[in-house]
Amino acid sequence: MQRAIIPFICAKCGGPFSPSEGGLCTVCHRPFCRRHLGVAQAVMRAAKKREPVKPRCEECRAKEREP
């Protein structure tokens, strides 16, 4: 039996994930698992504005909220 190759490690939690379970932040370009990338928020935001989905990590979203 062959072991599955997991190509990414989350920059936040250090957990391995496959491309279907996360991706790269569109702002800082670091890899994040689905939980830390904010995919759900990006999908909702994109649907409201009718734009492409651009997921951002928790850290980049926090920086955007700062005054």
Side-chain angles (χ1 to χ4, degrees), residues 17-29:
F17 66 91
S18 66
S20 62
E21 297 171 341
L24 300 176
C25 174
T26 57
V27 178
C28 66
H29 307 292

Side-chain angles (χ1 to χ4, degrees), residues 41-55:
Q41 294 90 343
V43 169
M44 290 188 319
R45 188 172 43 250
K48 286 180 186 176
K49 295 182 177 183
R50 295 186 178 147
E51 295 177 348
V53 177
K54 297 178 184 174

